[in-house]
C-alpha cells in the first residue's frame, strides 16, 4: 500500500502551481459527481441482473478499470464536458459464444425492452456497451471472462466491430484490475499536498452530497477529498490527459491511450514533487521513450507490468505519424510549462499559455477566479505576492454556487448534434 510522505514544501506556494491545481479541479470528477456515479453504477448492476435479463445469473463481478479506479478521471472535451467511466462485467463463462455474440448479449441485457429506462441511451461499441446520460456522464461496460481462478483478474475481453467481417473478431488479454492495484500501491502520496489539494477540491464543489453504495460489488474508490488523499502524480496525469484531448480531438485520429500515460507516469513517480514538477518529469519521460523508439525505427511499446501480453499500445500508435505527433506535443508541453512558471512573463501572458495548454473555457474560469481571489485578498490585506511570484498567504478558492442540476439519474438519449 502506498505510504503518505511528509515534505516541507508548500504545494501551492507559486502562482504556476495554483493555476495548475485550479485547472485540475475544474477538469476532474467532483465529489458530488463521484457520488452520483456510484449510484448509477449500482443501478446498472441491478438492471443487468434483473429477472428476465439475458445475463441473469451469469455475472460473477463488476469492477472499475481505467482512470476512475486510480482517481484520474477527467471531463471529456465535448459531450457537455462529461465523464467516461469504465466498468468490467465479468461473466461466469461464454461457452461457445463468439466475441460478437458476447457483446450483443450485453447490449441486449443493458438496453432492455422498449420503454426501458436505458433503451434509448445504450449503444454497442467494438469492445464495450455504452450508457449515455443527459448530463454528459457515460458508462462503458466491457464484458470479460476470467482465465484462471488462481490468477484473478487476468481475463479476456472481446473485440468485434459491427462494420467489419466476423473473422476479424478476437479476444484480448487484459488484467486492468492488477494494474490498478499496482498503480495505487506505488503511486506516492505527500500528506501536505493531499490535505491542501483536498481542501481546494471541497471548496470548489458546493454540490457535495452523500449517496448510498451497493455492497454487492467492488465499490468505486473513495474520492480524493477523503481518506488517502490525492497524489500530485495523479493530478499531473489528469492535466496531461486534458492536454492530450486538446491536441488530438481536432486531428480526427485515435488518441494515445490513458492507461499508457498512467503506466509511463508511474515509471518515474516519486514523492516530494509538486504538480508542475511531476508534469515536467512525466512529459520528459514520455518524450524520451518516444524518441528511443523512433531512433530504431519502431513504434512505442508499453505493456502491463503485472500481466505480460496485456499491451497498452495495441491500438495506438497506429503508425509513425501518430508517434511523431505525440513527440511534438510533449516538446510543446514542456515549453509551455517553462513559460507558465517564468516569473519574468506577465500574468496575462501566462494566462494565455494556460489556455493553450488546457483549453480556453477551463483556463478562463481558473484565471477569473484567481483574479477575484487576489483582488479580495489585497483589499483585505491578507495576501502578498513574493518577488519571484510566490504566494506568501494563500486563501482558498472563490467559487460561485452552481444551480442545482436537473435529475438525470437514469440517463436519456445523448444527442450527437
Amino acid at each position: 500500500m502506498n505510504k503518505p510522505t511528509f515534505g516541507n514544501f508548500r504545494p501551492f506556494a507559486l502562482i504556476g502551481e495554483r493555476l495548475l491545481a485550479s485547472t485540475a479541479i475544474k477538469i476532474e470528477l467532483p465529489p458530488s459527481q463521484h457520488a452520483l456515479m456510484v449510484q448509477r453504477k449500482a443501478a446498472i448492476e441491478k438492471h443487468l441482473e434483473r429477472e428476465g435479463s439475458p445475463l441473469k445469473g451469469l455475472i460473477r463481478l463488476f469492477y472499475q478499470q481505467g482512470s476512475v479506479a486510480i482517481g484520474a478521471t477527467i471531463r471529456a472535451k465535448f459531450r457537455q464536458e462529461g465523464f467516461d467511466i469504465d466498468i468490467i462485467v465479468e461473466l461466469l463463462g461464454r461457452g461457445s459464444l463468439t466475441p460478437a455474440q458476447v457483446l450483443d448479449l450485453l447490449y441486449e441485457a443493458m438496453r432492455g425492452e422498449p420503454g426501458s429506462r436505458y433503451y434509448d441511451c445504450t449503444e454497442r461499441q467494438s469492445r464495450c456497451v455504452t450508457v449515455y446520460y443527459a448530463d454528459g456522464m457515460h458508462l462503458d461496460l466491457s464484458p470479460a471472462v476470467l482465465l484462471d481462478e488462481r490468477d484473478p483478474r487476468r481475463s479476456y475481453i472481446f473485440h468485434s466491430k459491427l462494420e467489419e467481417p466476423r473473422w476479424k473478431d478476437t479476444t484480448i488479454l487484459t488484467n486492468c484490475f492488477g494494474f490498478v492495484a499496482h498503480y495505487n500501491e506505488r503511486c506516492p502520496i505527500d500528506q501536505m499536498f493531499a490535505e491542501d489539494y483536498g481542501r481546494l477540491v471541497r471548496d470548489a464543489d458546493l454540490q457535495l452530497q452523500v449517496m448510498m453504495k451497493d455492497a454487492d460489488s467492488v465499490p468505486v474508490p473513495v474520492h480524493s477529498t477523503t481518506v488517502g488523499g490525492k497524489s500530485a502524480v495523479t493530478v499531473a496525469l489528469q492535466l496531461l490527459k486534458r492536454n492530450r484531448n486538446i491536441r488530438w480531438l481536432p486531428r480526427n485520429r485515435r488518441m494515445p491511450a490513458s492507461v499508457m500515460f498512467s503506466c509511463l507516469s508511474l515509471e518515474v513517480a516519486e514523492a516530494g514533487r509538486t504538480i508542475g514538477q511531476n508534469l515536467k518529469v512525466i512529459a520528459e519521460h514520455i518524450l524520451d521513450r518516444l524518441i528511443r523508439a523512433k531512433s530504431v525505427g519502431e513504434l512505442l511499446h508499453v505493456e502491463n507490468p503485472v500481466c505480460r501480453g496485456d499491451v497498452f499500445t495495441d491500438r495506438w500508435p497506429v503508425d509513425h505519424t501518430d508517434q511523431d505527433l505525440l513527440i511534438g506535443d510533449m516538446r510543446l508541453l514542456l515549453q509551455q510549462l517553462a513559460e507558465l512558471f517564468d516569473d519574468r512573463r506577465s500574468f496575462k501572458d501566462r494566462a494565455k499559455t494556460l489556455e493553450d495548454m488546457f483549453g480556453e473555457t477551463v483556463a478562463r474560469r481558473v484565471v477569473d477566479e484567481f483574479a477575484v481571489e487576489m483582488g479580495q485578498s489585497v483589499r483585505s490585506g491578507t495576501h502578498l505576492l513574493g518577488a519571484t511570484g510566490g504566494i506568501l498567504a494563500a486563501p482558498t478558492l472563490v467559487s460561485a454556487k452552481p444551480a442545482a442540476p436537473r435529475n438525470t439519474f437514469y440517463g436519456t438519449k445523448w444527442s450527437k448534434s
Side-chain angles (χ1 to χ4, degrees), residues 330-347:
M330 291 301 99
R331 285 173 171 160
L332 177 59
L333 178 60
L334 288 167
Q335 174 190 324
Q336 291 172 327
L337 267 176
E339 293 173 358
L340 190 65
F341 283 86
D342 185 354
D343 294 325
R344 296 169 300 180
R345 301 178 76 242
S346 68
F347 183 75

Side-chain angles (χ1 to χ4, degrees), residues 35 50 70 87 104 140 147 199 241 246 273 293 317 358:
R50 70 192 184 280
I70 62 173
I87 298 172
D104 289 343
D140 291 336
L147 286 174
R199 173 180 54 79
K241 288 164 54 182
I246 296 295
R273 295 182 186 138
F358 305 114

